C-alpha cells in the first residue's frame, strides 16, 4: 500500500496534479469530481493495482473500459512490481511509458498531449 | 554447386526483422572486405543508422536524461514497441544498446506480448530481479547483437533469419539430406535459445567451420 504522500508525488511525476489532500478526500469518498480515465489508470499504475478487483469495479462504475484481459493487467502489475528496485527517476520514466501503453495511446500522441 | 536438374532457390527470410538483421550484418561487416572503404565513419553514424532501422520496424525511439540505473529499456505490447535510451550514453554504448534491442525484436521477445527489456548501467545489476528465463533471453539477445555488430551472423543459428524452402531436386537422397539439415538447424536454434555455453561455442571460428562444412555436405 502506497502512502498518500508518495502516491501524490508519483502522480505528479506522471503529469497529473493530484495533491495528498485530494487523495485523502477521494479515499474517504468526500470528493464528487470523477477522475478521468487517465488519472484512474495512473493511480492504479502507481499502486501496482491494475489487476485489482477494486480497480475493475471503479472502471465499471465510471463507465470506462480498458481493452486488456485480466492476464494482461496482471502482467503489467508484475512488471511494475519487479522494477521497484530501480531508482525513483528510472521508475518514473518507465511508469510514464507503461501508462501510455496501458491507455493505448501511441507515443507520438502522448508526446503531443504532454506538450499541449 | 548444383546438380543437373537441380533448381536452387535463394532462402526466404523468416521475417522483416530477419531480413534487416542480415542487411545490418552485411553493412557492418563490409569494413573487413576488400571491396572498398568502410561505409560508416564512426559509431555515431552506425548508431544513427541502427536506430533508423528500429524506427522503420515500428519502434518509437527516444532519449531520456533521467535514467541512471538503466542504460535504456525496450517496452513491447500489442500497442507497439518503444525504446528509451539514456541521453548520457556515448556513441559506442548507444550502438550496442540499439543492436541489443534489435536482437530482442528479431528473436521474437517483443512479439505482441507485454514485455519490458531492461539494460542496467554498469554496477547497477544488483537491482536486477529478472527470472532465469529472462536472463537466458538476454544472453541470446547479447549473442545475436554481437554477431550483427561484427558482421558475423554465421555465429548464430541460420533459422533465426531464414526459412528453408524445399529445393526442387529429383531423388530421395537430396530430400533426406535436406530434412536432416532442417532437423539440425532446429536443434541448433533450440540450443542457442537455452544454453549460454552453446552461444559461446558458436563464437569459435572452428565451430563456424564445422557448421559450414556440415551445411555444405547436406546441401550437396
Amino acid at each position: 500500500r502506497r502512502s498518500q504522500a508518495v502516491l501524490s508525488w508519483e502522480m505528479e511525476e506522471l503529469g497529473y496534479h493530484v495533491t495528498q489532500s485530494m487523495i485523502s478526500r477521494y479515499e474517504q469518498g468526500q470528493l464528487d469530481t470523477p477522475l478521468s480515465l487517465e488519472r484512474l489508470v495512473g493511480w492504479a499504475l502507481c499502486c501496482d493495482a491494475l489487476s485489482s478487483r477494486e480497480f475493475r469495479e471503479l472502471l465499471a462504475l465510471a463507465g470506462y473500459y480498458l481493452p486488456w484481459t485480466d492476464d494482461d493487467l496482471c502482467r503489467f502489475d508484475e512488471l511494475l512490481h519487479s522494477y521497484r528496485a530501480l531508482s525513483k527517476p528510472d521508475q518514473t520514466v518507465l511508469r510514464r511509458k507503461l501508462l501510455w501503453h496501458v491507455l493505448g495511446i501511441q507515443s507520438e500522441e502522448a508526446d503531443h498531449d504532454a506538450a499541449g | 554447386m548444383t546438380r543437373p536438374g537441380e533448381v536452387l532457390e535463394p532462402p526466404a527470410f523468416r521475417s522483416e526483422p530477419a531480413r534487416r538483421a542480415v542487411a545490418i550484418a552485411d553493412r557492418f561487416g563490409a569494413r573487413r572486405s576488400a571491396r572498398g572503404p568502410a561505409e560508416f565513419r564512426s559509431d555515431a553514424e552506425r548508431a544513427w543508422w541502427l536506430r533508423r532501422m528500429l524506427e522503420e520496424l515500428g519502434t518509437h525511439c527516444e532519449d531520456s536524461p533521467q535514467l541512471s540505473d538503466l542504460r535504456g529499456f525496450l517496452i513491447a505490447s500489442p500497442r507497439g514497441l518503444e525504446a528509451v535510451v539514456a541521453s548520457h550514453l556515448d556513441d559506442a554504448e548507444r550502438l550496442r544498446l540499439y543492436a541489443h534491442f534489435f536482437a530482442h525484436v528479431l528473436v521474437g521477445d517483443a512479439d505482441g506480448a507485454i514485455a519490458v527489456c531492461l539494460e542496467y548501467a554498469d554496477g547497477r545489476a544488483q537491482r536486477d530481479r529478472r527470472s532465469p528465463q529472462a536472463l537466458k533471453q538476454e544472453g541470446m539477445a547479447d549473442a545475436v547483437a554481437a554477431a550483427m555488430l561484427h558482421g558475423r551472423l554465421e555465429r548464430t543459428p541460420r533459422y533465426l533469419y531464414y526459412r528453408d524452402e524445399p529445393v526442387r531436386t529429383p531423388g530421395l537422397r537430396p530430400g533426406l539430406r535436406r530434412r536432416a539439415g532442417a532437423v539440425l538447424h532446429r536443434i541448433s536454434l533450440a540450443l542457442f535459445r537455452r544454453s549460454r555455453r552453446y552461444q559461446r561455442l558458436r563464437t569459435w571460428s572452428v565451430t563456424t567451420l564445422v557448421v559450414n562444412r556440415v551445411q555444405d555436405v547436406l546441401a550437396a
Side-chain angles (χ1 to χ4, degrees):
Chain A
R1 188 177 161 81
R2 319 292 287 159
S3 74
Q4 290 176 353
V6 170
L7 183 54
S8 172
W9 180 83
E10 289 179 353
M11 291 287 282
E12 293 277 354
E13 289 295 308
L14 280 181
Y16 301 127
H17 178 65
V18 179
T19 62
Q20 189 177 342
S21 64
M22 286 168 70
I23 290 171
S24 175
R25 281 181 283 161
Y26 272 119
E27 286 183 351
Q28 292 169 37
Q30 293 174 0
L31 267 183
D32 289 337
T33 317
L35 288 167
S36 64
L37 173 62
E38 289 79 9
R39 287 187 178 196
L40 257 181
V41 172
W43 192 318
L45 204 79
C46 293
C47 297
D48 307 344
L50 288 166
S51 58
S52 68
R53 181 178 51 85
E54 291 80 4
F55 178 62
R56 282 199 298 273
E57 285 175 0
L58 269 174
L59 282 182
L61 208 60
Y64 296 139
Y65 168 73
L66 283 179
W68 297 105
T69 65
D70 291 346
D71 287 342
D72 291 335
L73 293 174
C74 278
R75 179 71 183 130
F76 278 120
D77 280 341
E78 277 168 18
L79 288 171
L80 289 162
H81 185 70
S82 66
Y83 302 135
R84 285 279 173 195
L86 293 172
S87 68
K88 291 285 186 208
D90 290 65
Q91 284 187 54
T92 300
V93 176
L94 189 59
R95 214 177 283 130
R96 267 197 216 126
K97 291 301 175 188
L98 278 174
L99 174 64
W100 303 126
H101 280 260
V102 174
L103 288 170
I105 299 174
Q106 297 297 326
S107 290
E108 289 78 12
E109 293 172 52
D111 292 342
H112 179 74
D113 289 345
Chain B
M1 187 191 298
T2 59
R3 292 181 169 192
E6 185 178 280
V7 178
L8 278 181
E9 297 170 357
F13 289 106
R14 188 165 284 278
S15 62
E16 179 60 22
R19 188 183 71 78
R20 288 180 186 259
V22 171
I24 290 166
D26 284 346
R27 197 138 176 210
F28 285 166
R31 59 187 147 162
R32 294 194 313 280
S33 77
R35 289 195 295 272
E39 291 189 35
F40 297 108
R41 286 169 295 183
S42 64
D43 282 341
E45 285 187 16
R46 289 187 195 90
W48 176 87
W49 185 70
L50 202 43
R51 174 172 165 152
R52 284 296 303 133
M53 291 290 246
L54 274 170
E55 288 172 342
E56 285 174 15
L57 284 175
T59 305
H60 175 80
C61 297
E62 68 178 67
D63 289 5
S64 170
Q66 292 177 273
L67 294 179
S68 56
D69 282 349
L70 300 175
R71 287 184 293 138
F73 59 87
L74 176 72
I75 295 179
S77 81
R79 293 285 180 260
L81 290 165
E82 191 152 7
V84 178
V85 168
S87 305
H88 59 79
L89 295 186
D90 62 29
D91 295 327
E93 288 173 312
R94 199 175 283 268
L95 175 63
R96 280 195 297 275
L97 198 54
Y98 286 138
H100 186 86
F101 289 159
F102 195 100
H104 274 294
V105 174
L106 170 68
V107 302
D109 291 342
D111 268 352
I114 297 162
V116 177
C117 304
L118 301 184
E119 288 304 304
Y120 287 83
D122 291 338
R124 309 297 175 102
Q126 68 271 17
R127 298 179 188 270
D128 192 346
R129 289 180 178 175
R130 286 174 290 188
S131 65
Q133 172 67 20
L135 288 171
K136 275 188 187 169
Q137 284 175 328
E138 285 298 311
M140 183 172 173
D142 281 339
V144 173
M148 270 196 313
L149 288 176
H150 290 100
R152 296 279 200 198
L153 288 187
E154 65 272 16
R155 293 177 179 175
T156 56
R158 177 182 172 81
Y159 269 22
L160 274 175
Y161 316 101
Y162 298 108
R163 185 175 52 230
D164 270 339
E165 300 284 343
V167 172
R168 292 192 295 272
T169 308
L172 177 63
R173 207 176 290 178
L176 285 174
R177 276 201 297 267
R178 195 152 189 86
R179 280 194 206 101
V183 168
L184 287 175
H185 282 308
R186 287 194 184 96
I187 291 172
S188 176
L189 181 58
L191 278 173
F192 195 81
R193 283 188 187 279
R194 289 164 179 76
S195 168
R196 294 298 294 263
R197 204 171 290 178
Y198 184 69
Q199 288 163 13
R200 279 196 294 273
L201 189 66
R202 286 300 300 258
T203 63
W204 296 359
S205 308
V206 66
T207 312
T208 304
L209 283 170
V210 168
V211 166
N212 288 344
R213 182 73 187 121
V214 170
Q215 273 177 196
D216 290 343
V217 165
L218 291 174

